[in-house]
Amino acid sequence: MKYLILGASAAGLSAVRAIRQLDAGGEITVLSRDRQIYSRCLLPEVLAGRKDPGATRFVPEDFLERHGARWFGGVEATRLLTGEKAVLADTGDKFTYHRLLIATGASSFLPPVENIRKGRQVYGLRNLEDVEAISAAAGKGRGAVIMGGGLVGVDAAAALNERGVSVTIIEAAGHILPLQLDRRAAERYQHIFRKRGMEIITGEMVTRILLDGDDNVTGVELKGGRTIPCALVVAAAGVTPNISLLKDTAVETGRGIRVDEYQETSVADIFAAGDVCESLEAFTKKITTTPIWPLAVQQGRVAGWNMAGARRKPLNNFAFRNSMEFYGLPAVSYGLTEAPGPGYETFTRESGESYKKFILKNGRLRGAILQGDITGAGVYGALIRENIPAGATGEKLFGLTYADFFNQLEDGSFIF
Amino acid sequence: MRVCISADQVLNDFLAARSGVETSFNRVPPQAVKCGFGMQGVCCRLCSNGPCRITPKSPRGVCGASPDTMVARNFLRAVAAGAACYLHIVENAAVNLREIGRGNSQLPLKGTGLLNELADSLETGGRDRNEKAVNLAERVLADLYLPRNDKMRLVQKLAYGPRFELWRQGGLLPGGAKSEVFDALVKTSTNLSSDPVDMLLHSLRLGIATGLYGLAMTNKINDIIWGEPQIRTARAGFGVVDPDYVNIMITGHQQSLAGILQDALLSPEAADMARAAGAAGFRIIGSTCVGQDMQLRAAHCPEVFAGQTGNNFTTEALVATGAIDLVVSEFNCTLPGMETVCRQMLVPQICLDDVAKKQNAELLPFDIRETRAIAGKIMRGAADSFAARRKNVTVNVPSHGYDDVLTGLSEKTLKNFLGGSYKPLIDLIAAGSIKGIAAVVGCSNLTAGGHDIFTVGMTRELIKRDIIVLSAGCTSGALENVGLMSPAAAELAGESLKKVCLSLGIPPVLNFGPCLAIGRLEETAADIAAELGVDLPKLPLIISAPQWLEEQALADGAFGLALGLTLHLAIPPFITGSELVTGILTKGLENITGGRVIVDGDINSTVDRLEAVILDKRAGLGL
Amino acid sequence: MLRILIKPELCAGCKNCQVACLAEHSPSGSVWLADLSGGHGRPRNSVELNSRDLPVPLTCRHCQEPECVTACITGALSKNPATGLVEHDQGRCAGCWMCVMSCPFGMISPEALEKKTAVKCDFCQGRETPRCVEACPTGAICLAEVSPETGNNTTPGEAPKEEGLH
């Protein structure tokens, strides 16, 4: 069996491992645009100067060797030829397969803003190359504007702030991290950021990037008319799956590559996993992209198993969960951040560093935010994911632990 | 699970062979899991909001008590209970002395020399021996019963001068001893004191009351009643038990109670009773500290006292020999576990004091006016038991112990042995023949390596380094049963100490007897200090209660700290949950009294540290 | 594989398992000297009351398919194929809290002192019997030999032994 895997990040390498669990002899080939294996989630650490690029590898040095996989780094798949079961690469090489996994990830989404493609110092924060470029531009002073106050934007902002760069975040919503946190939790971060010298502008958006004669970024102009001088712009307005190689193929796509619960696409023997795909998400029960690391690993594993001939579904496909930490204040959130309408009960408690919020509907948790004290957060996540009655309301919600749901199998495993 | 072992190999073998008998040694492994909160002293059960325990997520009790408060409260309560035990003993002894003086008892006074001395030195006066006895006893009792804001009157005369001055200046002079105990209970009750420092100072006052009254005064009264110690060679170990006799085992701490058997068992009636039961006579089998006391004064009852068998944790094994016909108890170190063995071996138990009432024992409330009747009942019970049980039990007394144990050492006999002055000892120390003195005292427990393992191991190491060891307490039972109190043990000492021992014909470990004799060690130390013209903390002397067991030991320890001595313990006294309390006891206290605690559970490192203290103090004296 | 089994009905709520865990991971290793007030961090196990106010000892399961390992972005967490233990390499940990977010049982937490990395049960690395098991006076926490084949089967359709990315 010949396996071809496009992408050497969480999903791709997870698939390598899964295939090897079931198929000791198959030929595994990995192509990746990345020239080195690294964890994208650690890029803000590199940007902040806390980690060397070399320390971002998330698998042992000999991982591919140990799993008997060939890896071609710096090789981008450009076209998929489903008919002849082959992939063309930008090197001109052609790679054939019996089973293919597309785990090419996603790229920074560039919103329709004037000059965004023209400006020479407009970057995403997606690849190691981005970090290098941002670092170089940041060294020239005059500050940075972060377009988008989501997780990537705030990560980038905090990292640059830590390096002494003056940073402005522009967020269209009423507060930063609108998908991850409610207003209160976000405000607690905003307060910290502002104390650290960051500027945060909410309810605003960049309409134009100001350039000099050489297309160097000199500032941005906001919808409200205000201009903010800066030397670089980080576009952090979301990601878009890397599916251009699927042009002219029958592989069904929406925003990402549509896959079933076995991570298989509409075309036989072609699988997709990670940020590039879209699937039935467990919390929303909707088909959507699921761009979080744990699901990339899990989907890659499920894809790998199924490519190797097993029929296995994922444990769950729960994408509405986030963890973060800025300036020593950690937070974890799941599901809803605000009650979307009547029929929901909301419970909050704030003391000192700790802020907790739970959203309940019909006795079941639909959302949870834990900021400051995040110990034991996962139990709330499991209740939301598994749609288990919380068995508690009011004050008691704040003290839920697995003791309340204790159930142990004969082998010592816990289950809910 | 492996059974607990003893430093005493014969005892190990004996217990191994008696697999049908369960003793404390068997119960150590199933109790090996200790509560960490208890160990650190940070469990509080003072109110119904508790028990509260200190953890990183719950750093204070519901009431707000910090670990420092919890530890100090628990510690003071333990010291108070321990002090109460010794004060109970001296109270009974004083009452008995008073009643003898008043002519309400037929018991003679065998130590009138000391009575005369004390009537002078303590200025209690009296025209004749009876009045002197009454006066002394009443003065002691009066002090015990004073309210707390009245300082006890005899302290100044009992204490070493420089110490008294330091205590007076430091506010450490105890008020009425019983009131000190009483108010310690008040102080440590729910939501009263939260001040760890005040509670530790209270512990020191309790220590002083314990030492001067509970220990020293008890010794003096017993010396007056039963006769003063005399240095002699005696047998020790289970081997002292002769199965042909009706054997009455005594456990406890109150010779002033158990002593009534001494003369009674020698009476013609006793001889008849024993003969009728088929025995050669009656024997008192010494065990625990009351046995040590009797051993110390055995010159006054050589025929009836068979000898000392061992300490607290050999009592069950002793009953298991089958050769004991009756157990008479009057105080602690009477293990509850002994009751099971007694039932098994068909041994009745009699208690003379309800503070140590055992569940299956008959209580014969002690009354000094009725000593004959009480002794008669005990004899009767023992003889009946002998007659009834001997055909039904197997008697198996192991060959155990030594017959050349040097006993009878006291503050006076040692001095007399040295020629009436401590000068020769000081000269030996000055010359370096003896590096220093280690008082190895207190109890035995089963946790510091096993039964007497630490005590014996540490003592061997100390004498090897030319440090002479004086023992008082269950440590004496341990050390005599492994031969360290026999002259031949000189061979185990370092070269210079060995030379001293051989020339004087003494072992390198001197037997002062029971834990009460810690009071004698204090007087000995004070005498040496006086001879040198220094205060106690200057002496090249350390005190170690390596295998401390109980609350009484903590009260003794508090006395040692008040005396300004360096006190070693192998097991922490349930204080490590408080940085503050631990800090004061192990460091800060040195600036107040000169004393401090060293906690070390390793024999070699302990001896290294103790030796360093001794060398340091020698240097301080210019030696 | 050795696993810690929990019998909540035997738990007396003494928290001795927590003291033992704290001691094991403190500088001296001694229960006498472990800083119960938090100076040596927090225990990695816990005793929590359930909804009926009965104590339940809780400790990491070293899951067959550990979600903490799946969520780990640095490779700090891994499942040791030989022992089946879920191991955490503090040196690689970035403190991203994805594992805290993902463990359904709440068995991995931010280290309480520095709060820079996560900590979890390490099965008292190299110790024959984990300290908590040794310290439990009632047998509520005990060791059992568990066959790796009878995995933690929360996935319909069955999953093989999962060793994470390490």
Side-chain angles (χ1 to χ4, degrees):
Chain A
M1 186 71 76
K2 266 173 94 172
Y3 303 94
L4 180 60
I5 292 168
L6 309 182
S9 189
L13 297 192
S14 177
V16 169
R17 161 169 270 298
I19 290 167
R20 266 298 167 253
Q21 282 179 347
L22 301 185
D23 181 351
E27 183 190 314
I28 304 177
T29 304
V30 180
L31 309 187
S32 75
R33 196 169 64 184
D34 293 326
R35 286 169 202 281
Q36 76 179 72
I37 292 171
Y38 61 94
S39 173
R40 292 193 146 64
C41 297
L42 290 171
L43 294 179
E45 300 274 315
V46 180
L47 182 58
R50 279 196 299 264
K51 252 192 180 12
D52 289 335
T56 56
R57 191 177 170 96
F58 60 97
V59 289
E61 280 306 320
D62 62 350
F63 176 85
L64 288 161
E65 208 172 285
R66 197 143 52 84
H67 288 86
R70 284 190 308 160
W71 172 47
F72 296 90
V75 176
E76 188 174 356
T78 50
R79 244 185 106 193
L80 170 60
L81 309 167
T82 50
E84 52 181 297
K85 286 195 151 184
V87 166
L88 283 181
D90 58 354
T91 51
D93 294 313
K94 187 192 275 184
F95 295 86
T96 60
Y97 63 84
H98 296 133
R99 302 264 156 80
L100 171 71
L101 174 66
I102 304 168
T104 46
S107 299
S108 301
F109 170 67
L110 296 183
V113 168
E114 195 180 333
N115 289 337
I116 196 164
R117 288 174 194 277
K118 211 165 150 206
R120 290 169 62 184
Q121 292 87 16
V122 180
Y123 311 103
L125 179 52
R126 189 70 201 164
N127 305 309
L128 260 180
E129 295 75 16
D130 294 334
V131 173
E132 283 156 20
I134 294 171
S135 298
K140 302 202 173 86
R142 278 203 296 125
V145 163
I146 314 294
M147 285 173 48
L151 259 185
V152 172
V154 172
D155 266 331
L160 286 170
N161 176 263
E162 232 169 283
R163 290 177 54 148
V165 178
S166 125
V167 174
T168 305
I169 299 176
I170 315 291
E171 167 57 47
H175 57 79
I176 59 169
L177 301 165
L179 298 178
Q180 293 82 17
L181 300 177
D182 70 345
R183 172 173 290 277
R184 182 65 198 132
E187 277 171 350
R188 289 156 59 93
Y189 277 132
Q190 288 176 185
H191 179 70
I192 295 172
F193 294 165
R194 288 186 170 127
K195 274 209 318 211
R196 298 265 173 172
M198 242 186 254
E199 190 174 356
I200 298 166
I201 301 173
T202 57
E204 259 293 8
M205 51 215 292
V206 175
T207 49
R208 191 152 67 103
I209 294 176
L210 307 175
L211 306 176
D212 68 9
D214 296 328
D215 290 340
N216 289 314
V217 172
T218 59
V220 298
E221 187 180 291
L222 305 186
K223 195 176 180 183
R226 184 176 162 191
T227 63
I228 297 161
C230 66
L232 80 110
V233 170
V234 177
V239 295
T240 178
N242 294 326
I243 54 174
S244 58
L245 80 159
L246 298 180
K247 225 173 355 164
D248 309 323
T249 69
V251 177
E252 193 185 329
T253 57
R255 278 201 65 221
I257 303 170
R258 184 73 56 92
V259 293
D260 63 13
E261 56 205 356
Y262 304 104
Q263 301 299 135
E264 194 160 10
T265 67
S266 58
V267 175
D269 296 333
I270 299 179
F271 295 74
D275 294 6
V276 76
C277 74
E278 59 179 36
S279 54
L280 183 66
E281 198 278 326
F283 180 71
T284 53
K285 309 256 181 342
K286 284 182 179 150
I287 303 283
T288 160
T289 55
T290 54
I292 65 169
W293 180 278
L295 289 188
V297 173
Q298 184 179 277
Q299 291 167 359
R301 180 190 309 146
V302 170
W305 285 337
N306 286 287
M307 287 162 76
R311 284 301 269 177
R312 285 186 194 135
K313 299 180 189 180
L315 204 56
N316 61 70
N317 204 34
F318 180 45
F320 278 68
R321 45 180 164 150
N322 294 282
S323 75
M324 66 197 81
E325 173 165 323
F326 303 107
Y327 301 109
L329 185 66
V332 168
S333 69
Y334 309 91
L336 301 174
T337 59
E338 299 284 0
Y344 290 84
E345 289 175 285
T346 301
F347 302 91
T348 59
R349 188 154 82 181
E350 190 168 0
S351 72
E353 236 199 12
S354 167
Y355 172 69
K356 287 180 184 174
K357 174 174 179 172
F358 300 111
I359 300 168
L360 214 56
K361 187 184 187 188
N362 298 331
R364 289 164 204 263
L365 265 181
R366 296 293 291 155
I369 298 172
L370 296 94
Q371 193 179 38
D373 175 16
I374 60 168
T375 297
V379 174
Y380 296 99
L383 295 180
I384 293 171
R385 177 181 86 189
E386 309 290 333
N387 201 25
I388 296 165
T393 181
E395 271 303 295
K396 285 200 167 164
L397 266 179
F398 293 90
L400 287 181
T401 66
Y402 181 67
D404 296 302
F405 308 91
F406 186 87
N407 191 0
Q408 184 183 232
L409 298 177
E410 240 174 65
D411 68 353
S413 312
F414 286 162
I415 54 166
F416 272 89
Chain B
M1 278 189 282
R2 220 169 128 230
V3 72
C4 169
I5 52 154
S6 173
D8 180 343
Q9 195 46 48
V10 180
L11 181 66
N12 285 331
D13 296 341
F14 175 73
L15 287 173
R18 306 297 308 244
S19 57
V21 178
E22 186 199 281
T23 69
S24 299
F25 287 64
N26 304 104
R27 290 184 293 266
V28 168
Q31 285 291 351
V33 173
K34 305 293 177 202
C35 169
F37 302 99
M39 288 166 75
Q40 294 208 9
V42 288
C43 174
C44 179
R45 297 187 303 137
L46 285 183
C47 82
S48 66
N49 287 329
C52 289
R53 292 155 297 171
I54 298 299
T55 73
K57 276 170 84 177
S58 55
R60 279 168 172 256
V62 171
C63 66
S66 66
D68 299 328
T69 296
M70 284 188 190
V71 165
R73 277 199 300 225
N74 289 336
F75 183 73
L76 176 53
R77 281 214 152 182
V79 172
C85 290
Y86 280 121
L87 294 169
H88 177 89
I89 293 169
V90 71
E91 183 182 30
N92 276 350
V95 166
N96 290 348
L97 178 63
R98 185 188 66 195
E99 294 308 307
I100 295 169
R102 284 177 179 171
N104 291 329
S105 169
Q106 272 130 6
L107 287 179
L109 295 176
K110 296 183 178 175
T112 49
L114 178 62
L115 177 61
N116 291 331
E117 283 169 34
L118 291 175
D120 289 343
S121 65
L122 300 181
E123 296 171 35
T124 50
R127 281 162 301 181
D128 56 20
R129 66 166 67 168
N130 285 336
E131 198 177 297
K132 284 176 181 172
V134 172
N135 286 357
L136 175 64
E138 284 185 338
R139 289 290 296 279
V140 170
L141 290 169
D143 269 4
L144 297 182
Y145 300 149
L146 284 174
R148 195 151 73 93
N149 54 7
D150 280 353
K151 301 298 172 198
M152 292 198 285
R153 314 279 154 79
L154 293 176
V155 169
Q156 185 161 12
K157 299 190 174 70
L158 291 170
Y160 182 50
R163 280 286 110 181
F164 179 82
E165 222 13 70
L166 183 121
W167 295 340
R168 194 182 60 74
Q169 284 165 17
L172 292 176
L173 290 177
K178 289 195 129 183
S179 301
E180 290 284 357
V181 172
F182 191 99
D183 281 357
L185 294 183
V186 175
K187 198 171 264 193
T188 55
S189 188
T190 317
N191 295 332
L192 281 114
S193 174
S194 66
D195 185 344
V197 175
D198 180 76
M199 287 189 269
L200 290 179
L201 293 176
H202 199 133
S203 302
L204 293 179
R205 279 197 298 274
L206 286 166
I208 294 167
T210 298
L212 298 182
Y213 290 78
L215 304 179
M217 216 52 233
T218 302
N219 293 332
K220 292 180 196 309
I221 292 172
N222 280 330
D223 285 351
I224 292 168
I225 299 175
W226 311 108
E228 293 186 64
Q230 288 173 24
I231 292 178
R232 58 197 286 276
T233 294
R235 295 175 67 193
F238 286 13
V240 306
V241 181
D242 183 343
D244 294 341
Y245 285 80
V246 180
N247 288 313
I248 302 175
M249 171 183 174
I250 51 169
T251 66
H253 284 82
Q254 304 190 83
Q255 194 177 358
S256 69
L257 275 55
I260 61 167
L261 292 173
Q262 291 171 200
D263 291 343
L265 295 183
L266 290 174
S267 65
E269 306 95 280
D272 293 344
M273 212 185 278
R275 204 172 308 118
F282 284 99
R283 283 279 187 274
I284 298 173
I285 308 300
S287 186
T288 74
C289 277
V290 68
Q292 290 288 355
D293 247 325
M294 227 174 253
Q295 184 188 51
L296 199 59
R297 303 184 180 96
H300 306 283
C301 55
E303 305 88 355
V304 74
F305 181 66
Q308 173 69 354
T309 53
N311 59 20
N312 49 357
F313 285 108
T314 61
T315 54
E316 294 160 308
L318 181 64
V319 175
T321 61
I324 298 300
D325 300 296
L326 177 74
V327 175
V328 174
S329 313
E330 31 66 15
F331 210 69
N332 69 342
C333 297
T334 310
L335 307 176
M338 204 165 64
E339 298 171 56
T340 326
V341 188
C342 279
R343 272 198 292 272
Q344 245 177 312
M345 304 307 293
L346 310 176
V347 180
Q349 288 186 262
I350 288 176
C351 291
L352 297 179
D353 189 333
D354 70 354
V355 298
K357 171 73 176 71
K358 308 319 284 186
Q359 201 176 355
N360 63 350
E362 181 189 352
L363 178 65
L364 284 182
F366 185 83
D367 184 341
I368 192 78
R369 286 164 295 201
E370 303 290 343
T371 55
R372 276 209 182 152
I374 294 168
K377 280 189 192 168
I378 293 171
M379 276 178 350
R380 179 82 269 157
D384 289 353
S385 166
F386 181 95
R389 65 183 289 280
R390 286 300 182 106
K391 50 187 176 296
N392 297 320
V393 293
T394 313
V395 173
N396 170 17
V397 180
S399 169
H400 174 247
Y402 291 79
D403 53 15
D404 57 353
V405 172
L406 192 73
T407 71
L409 287 135
S410 76
E411 70 282 10
K412 282 168 83 175
T413 57
L414 178 58
K415 196 174 179 177
N416 291 338
F417 177 80
L418 294 168
S421 149
Y422 281 108
K423 181 99 190 354
L425 177 62
I426 292 168
D427 291 344
L428 288 168
I429 292 173
S433 303
I434 296 176
K435 203 177 282 171
I437 303 170
V440 176
V441 301
C443 322
S444 173
N445 63 38
L446 303 182
T447 42
H451 177 240
D452 297 331
I453 299 279
F454 203 106
T455 300
V456 170
M458 181 185 73
T459 300
R460 284 180 192 277
E461 191 57 35
L462 285 167
I463 59 174
K464 209 183 283 175
R465 301 194 195 184
D466 296 321
I467 296 165
I468 194 167
V469 170
L470 317 183
S471 167
C474 277
T475 47
S476 299
L479 297 167
E480 59 193 357
N481 280 357
V482 298
L484 287 170
M485 287 172 164
S486 298
E491 294 300 329
L492 302 170
E495 274 312 308
S496 17
L497 178 58
K498 176 178 159 185
K499 218 175 280 172
V500 173
C501 290
L502 291 178
S503 73
L504 294 173
I506 57 168
V509 181
L510 301 181
N511 185 358
F512 275 67
C515 58
L516 290 158
I518 293 170
R520 299 188 191 277
L521 296 180
E522 182 265 331
E523 290 182 63
T524 304
D527 259 0
I528 296 172
E531 184 97 29
L532 284 166
V534 298
D535 194 2
L536 293 171
K538 298 268 185 228
L539 295 180
L541 177 154
I542 59 87
I543 181 163
S544 171
Q547 300 204 244
W548 77 274
L549 179 78
E550 59 202 27
E551 295 173 319
Q552 274 160 278
L554 297 182
D556 293 334
F559 182 45
L561 293 174
L563 293 174
L565 303 177
T566 299
L567 166 68
H568 162 258
L569 307 170
I571 292 173
F574 308 140
I575 55 165
T576 48
S578 163
E579 217 178 307
L580 180 69
V581 172
T582 305
I584 291 174
L585 290 180
T586 58
K587 284 192 276 288
L589 191 60
E590 210 165 15
N591 301 321
I592 304 172
T593 67
R596 71 178 165 114
V597 175
I598 291 177
V599 178
D600 197 322
D602 178 80
I603 290 175
N604 285 321
S605 108
T606 294
V607 178
D608 287 347
R609 289 165 77 178
L610 296 181
E611 187 183 22
V613 171
I614 284 172
L615 292 176
D616 197 44
K617 304 229 165 172
R618 288 180 63 94
L621 291 170
L623 299 175
Chain C
M1 293 185 299
L2 280 178
R3 285 293 172 272
I4 295 171
L5 291 190
I6 293 169
K7 298 176 180 168
E9 66 279 9
L10 296 180
C11 180
C14 74
K15 301 189 187 179
N16 221 30
C17 51
Q18 291 190 270
V19 179
C21 181
L22 204 57
E24 176 66 19
H25 300 99
S26 71
S28 71
S30 154
V31 171
W32 291 107
L33 301 176
D35 185 345
L36 298 180
S37 298
H40 294 150
R42 283 193 189 174
R44 298 156 184 218
N45 50 8
S46 64
V47 179
E48 301 289 350
L49 294 180
N50 66 14
S51 45
R52 289 178 299 136
D53 280 345
L54 299 172
V56 182
L58 295 172
T59 175
C60 170
R61 298 293 84 196
H62 298 274
C63 297
Q64 289 298 119
E65 208 175 326
E67 296 198 41
C68 58
V69 175
T70 298
C72 182
I73 63 169
T74 64
L77 281 159
S78 61
K79 189 162 170 79
N80 184 318
T83 60
L85 296 179
V86 173
E87 295 170 353
H88 182 240
D89 176 355
Q90 221 123 348
R92 296 185 67 88
C93 181
C96 73
W97 316 131
M98 293 288 267
C99 52
V100 177
M101 172 188 86
S102 295
C103 173
F105 316 115
M107 293 299 125
I108 184 163
S109 309
E111 189 278 320
L113 296 179
E114 300 286 325
K115 299 181 181 161
K116 297 268 184 246
T117 56
V119 282
K120 67 177 290 296
C121 166
D122 59 359
F123 226 73
C124 293
Q125 263 182 313
R127 220 169 178 279
E128 202 175 321
T129 309
R131 285 284 282 269
C132 56
V133 174
E134 216 167 69
C136 179
T138 66
I141 305 174
C142 55
L143 267 190
E145 185 66 36
V146 166
S147 135
E149 277 70 45
T150 65
N152 172 2
N153 307 330
T154 49
T155 316
E158 188 25 31
K161 189 172 78 176
E162 168 50 27
E163 290 163 2
L165 284 173
H166 240 174

